[in-house]
Amino acid sequence: MKSAVIVFPGSNCDRDVAVALEQVTGRKPEMVWHKESDLPAGTDFIALPGGFSYGDYLRSGAMAARSPIMRAVKDAAGRGVPLIGICNGFQVLTETGLLPGALMRNAGLSFVCRPVSLRVESSQSLFTAQYDSGETVVFPVAHHDGNYQADDATLDRLEGQGRVAFRYLDEVNGSARRIAGILNDAGNVLGLMPHPERVVEPAHGGTDGRRLFEGLLETVS
Amino acid sequence: MKARVFVTLKSGVLDPQGKAIHHALEGLGFSGVNDVRAGKLIELDLADGTSETDIEDMCRKLLANTVIENFRIERLEDA
């Protein structure tokens, strides 16, 4: 698997994702600066990491979504290359329009930083193939703008098409229908607020996130 | 030429910041505030002759997220 991690000014989980990917796939991902206009040839997995790209100016993810590399990322996603956006990466994906809806300020207004329980809604995706449908996993969250909102028609469509990948078991940030992560129509783009890359080895306090990357490795390579 | 862009949350979109401001106003003893919605004001200094369409394009492509926000443009021709 030849993965690429996109690095924006203000990304701060880029190295965490890179370490997780290297551990699971045995291959160091390419770190791609946002000013690049092309992805490395043969890239077959792309990660948009967490952080505070451009200091969250204007709206979280808004500036990053318009940076030069995103054109190539959109093209790749359109060709079916698997793409994950974690935390700020999820915000970037909604800002680019690759995923519907928007991530707004947490309903409680506080920055939420703790492990949370999630239900894996479906094991029928590239990203969740190694989980059981309905299984509970624990991933950490660390965000201020994780309150997922979309109109009812969009939410119904996401539910109806099995595109809600992860759901919070308890109230975390005010997200509509407690949505924590969603897939695009084709199923090759996942955006989620919790951080699977922060739970890949026992020293992290949990390894629930590891199977997400293992599942990808199995599908992609 | 200058223009102002007002970006506001669409009605029906939950506004946690507006709510917090509302509560704070009540805490200060201001009664009779029915609701508060917070938005943004963006001031643009533009080349003369910039068309309305160009400004709208800027709003749609960047300044507002039209999934959740509305925008209103106010041109200040002589400013």
Side-chain angles (χ1 to χ4, degrees):
Chain A
M1 188 160 109
K2 194 171 176 194
S3 43
V5 176
I6 311 299
V7 185
F8 301 103
S11 293
N12 64 13
C13 301
D14 44 329
R15 287 175 58 203
D16 306 47
V17 181
V19 169
L21 283 168
E22 188 178 354
Q23 276 198 9
V24 172
T25 68
R27 188 167 176 175
K28 250 190 184 25
E30 292 285 331
M31 306 304 278
V32 181
W33 185 234
H34 71 118
K35 285 198 169 160
E36 299 290 332
S37 49
D38 295 303
L39 292 162
T43 297
D44 53 16
F45 174 66
I46 308 163
L48 302 179
F52 298 88
S53 56
Y54 294 87
D56 281 348
Y57 288 172
L58 193 62
R59 296 176 304 274
S60 300
M63 314 305 283
R66 278 85 183 167
S67 60
I69 192 63
M70 286 308 295
R71 196 163 299 167
V73 171
K74 272 195 235 181
D75 287 350
R79 291 195 310 270
V81 174
L83 164 63
I84 192 171
I86 301 167
C87 198
N88 188 223
F90 186 12
Q91 295 160 343
V92 173
L93 288 176
T94 58
E95 279 284 342
T96 56
L98 281 167
L99 291 174
L103 290 144
M104 306 191 57
R105 182 51 43 103
N106 292 344
L109 295 173
S110 306
F111 190 94
V112 181
C113 186
R114 58 182 164 88
V116 299
S117 296
L118 305 167
R119 187 164 66 233
V120 182
E121 288 292 331
S122 165
S123 60
Q124 302 297 309
S125 85
L126 281 177
F127 306 92
T128 55
Q130 301 230 344
Y131 296 91
D132 296 322
S133 295
E135 180 182 349
T136 299
V137 295
V138 177
F139 292 177
V141 292
H143 60 247
H144 210 166
D145 296 320
N147 178 354
Y148 182 76
Q149 296 295 327
D151 58 43
D152 282 332
T154 304
L155 294 170
D156 289 341
R157 196 171 68 244
L158 290 172
E159 303 269 14
Q161 296 175 341
R163 288 166 54 190
V164 176
F166 295 95
R167 205 185 299 269
Y168 303 111
L169 281 191
D170 303 304
E171 176 55 38
V172 170
N173 52 26
S175 288
R177 304 185 193 182
R178 291 195 185 154
I179 287 173
I182 56 169
L183 296 157
N184 70 338
D185 195 19
N188 66 311
V189 179
L190 169 71
L192 77 171
M193 290 310 296
H195 288 271
E197 81 283 14
R198 293 191 190 177
V199 272
V200 293
E201 51 184 298
H204 290 160
T207 55
D208 280 352
R210 193 176 179 93
R211 279 177 288 157
L212 188 148
F213 300 102
E214 287 172 345
L216 275 167
L217 177 64
E218 194 152 293
T219 327
V220 171
S221 51
Chain B
M1 185 195 104
K2 291 191 176 172
R4 288 175 168 169
V5 173
F6 296 86
V7 181
T8 51
L9 284 173
K10 287 183 176 173
S11 62
V13 173
L14 198 74
D15 179 8
Q17 290 177 101
K19 263 204 177 121
I21 296 166
H22 190 181
H23 287 153
L25 285 172
E26 285 175 339
L28 290 170
F30 293 102
S31 57
V33 180
N34 293 325
D35 194 19
V36 178
R37 308 279 286 169
K40 293 187 191 96
L41 164 62
I42 298 166
E43 293 182 326
L44 301 170
D45 190 341
L46 300 161
D48 287 341
T50 305
S51 73
E52 187 82 11
T53 322
D54 284 340
I55 306 175
E56 277 178 24
D57 219 23
M58 294 176 201
C59 291
R60 274 184 234 287
K61 286 192 177 154
L62 179 63
L63 303 181
N65 177 346
T66 55
V67 174
I68 45 167
E69 294 170 329
N70 289 322
F71 60 86
R72 181 168 62 80
I73 299 162
E74 186 182 283
R75 295 166 72 102
L76 307 166
E77 300 289 349
D78 304 320

